[in-house]
């Protein structure tokens, strides 16, 4: 082997080593950032700081804003929002856990209703629902792309077996792995009417004096 062949072989070995180091490093990075089963992605969320809730999917959006200690639905001319519905959603978030995490190809995301809805896909049923929470200065506090709800079919002798919503697929910011959250978050909806406060009961008439 002459000197030129030797130098070529050394250069080739250096390239192989460099590629191996890059692959190893990327693997470590992916392991370090991958969602961990049992982790609570919203455990640091301070509920009292939330002053704006935005929900957006391929069919529409709804924005709930807290003004003067009262929640309103902006798409309904700032009509009063249901505090009970908003509280039910917010209280669930800090306790949400990741029960499963896996890498899913982009072509399969619509099946889990986790497509981003960009371009022509915006009107399809495979688009996820983006939940964005902000503070009173519109600074983002937390966000997540919610997808398909997992349904559990119960054993039953009846012809129609009862089904229960038990979890929900989601994508967390800055990560391409699909996670399964421990609650279906069934109250999430972009229908503004579902967030309106119930009408006040009618005032009973004052009885006439005898």
């Amino acid at each position: 082997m002459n000197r030129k062949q030797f130098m070529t072989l050394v250069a080739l070995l250096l390239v192989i080593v460099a590629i191996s180091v890059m692959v190893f490093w990327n693997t470590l990075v992916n392991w370090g950032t991958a969602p961990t089963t049992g982790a609570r992605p919203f455990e640091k969320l301070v509920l009292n700081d939330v002053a704006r809730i935005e929900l957006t999917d391929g069919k529409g959006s709804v924005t709930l804003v807290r003004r003067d200690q009262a929640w309103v639905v902006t798409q309904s001319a700032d009509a009063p929002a249901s505090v009970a519905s908003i509280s039910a959603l917010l209280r669930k978030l800090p306790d949400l856990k990741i029960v499963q995490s896996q890498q899913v190809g982009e072509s399969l995301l619509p099946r889990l209703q986790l497509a981003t809805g960009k371009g022509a896909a915006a009107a399809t049923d495979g688009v996820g629902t983006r939940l964005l929470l902000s503070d009173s200065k519109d600074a983002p506090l937390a966000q997540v792309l919610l997808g398909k709800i997992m349904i559990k079919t119960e054993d039953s002798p009846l012809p129609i077996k009862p089904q229960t919503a038990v979890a929900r697929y989601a994508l967390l910011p800055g990560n391409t792995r699909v996670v399964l959250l421990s609650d279906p978050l069934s109250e999430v909806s972009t229908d503004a009417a579902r967030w309106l406060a119930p009408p006040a009961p009618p005032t009973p008439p004052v009885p006439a004096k005898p």
Side-chain angles (χ1 to χ4, degrees):
M1 179 182 297
N2 57 35
R3 180 180 178 82
K4 183 177 180 181
Q5 291 175 327
F6 177 77
M7 295 302 296
T8 302
L9 180 60
V10 171
L12 181 60
L13 289 175
L14 290 175
V15 171
I16 294 175
V17 170
I19 293 175
S20 299
V21 171
M22 290 177 62
V23 171
F24 177 73
W25 177 251
N26 287 336
T27 301
L28 287 180
V29 171
N30 289 336
W31 282 354
T33 58
T36 305
T37 300
R40 294 187 296 171
F42 307 106
E43 63 178 336
K44 296 182 179 180
L45 177 65
V46 180
L47 300 185
N48 289 335
D49 290 345
V50 179
R52 185 182 182 93
I53 303 172
E54 297 178 60
L55 293 164
T56 307
D57 61 15
K59 299 177 181 178
S61 64
V62 63
T63 303
L64 312 171
V65 180
R66 189 179 64 191
R67 294 176 181 161
D68 299 327
Q69 303 303 315
W71 285 93
V72 298
V73 183
T74 60
Q75 282 78 4
S76 298
D78 287 351
S82 171
V83 176
S85 298
I86 293 174
S87 298
L89 171 61
L90 293 180
R91 284 199 303 265
K92 288 181 177 181
L93 296 181
D95 294 328
L96 277 180
K97 292 183 179 180
I98 296 175
V99 297
Q100 183 179 328
S101 171
Q102 61 183 11
Q103 193 69 46
V104 175
E106 186 175 354
S107 61
L108 298 178
L109 292 180
R111 296 186 182 182
L112 298 175
Q113 297 177 5
L114 285 172
T116 58
K118 296 180 180 179
T124 67
D125 292 333
V127 175
T129 300
R130 185 169 301 280
L131 168 63
L132 174 62
L133 307 179
S134 307
D135 63 14
S136 58
K137 298 181 180 179
D138 288 342
L141 297 174
Q143 62 176 308
V144 62
L145 184 65
L146 300 172
K148 186 176 182 179
I149 294 177
M150 175 178 281
I151 303 296
K152 180 181 179 181
T153 302
E154 306 289 345
D155 291 333
S156 173
L158 300 176
I160 301 178
K161 299 183 181 299
Q163 295 183 326
T164 305
V166 295
R168 190 161 191 166
Y169 292 100
L171 279 174
L172 299 174
N175 209 295
T176 59
R177 295 179 68 88
V178 172
V179 299
L180 187 64
L181 299 177
S182 57
D183 192 282
L185 300 176
S186 303
E187 53 273 285
V188 170
S189 172
T190 57
D191 182 4
R194 294 187 59 177
W195 294 100
L196 293 175
T203 303
V206 179
K209 293 183 179 181

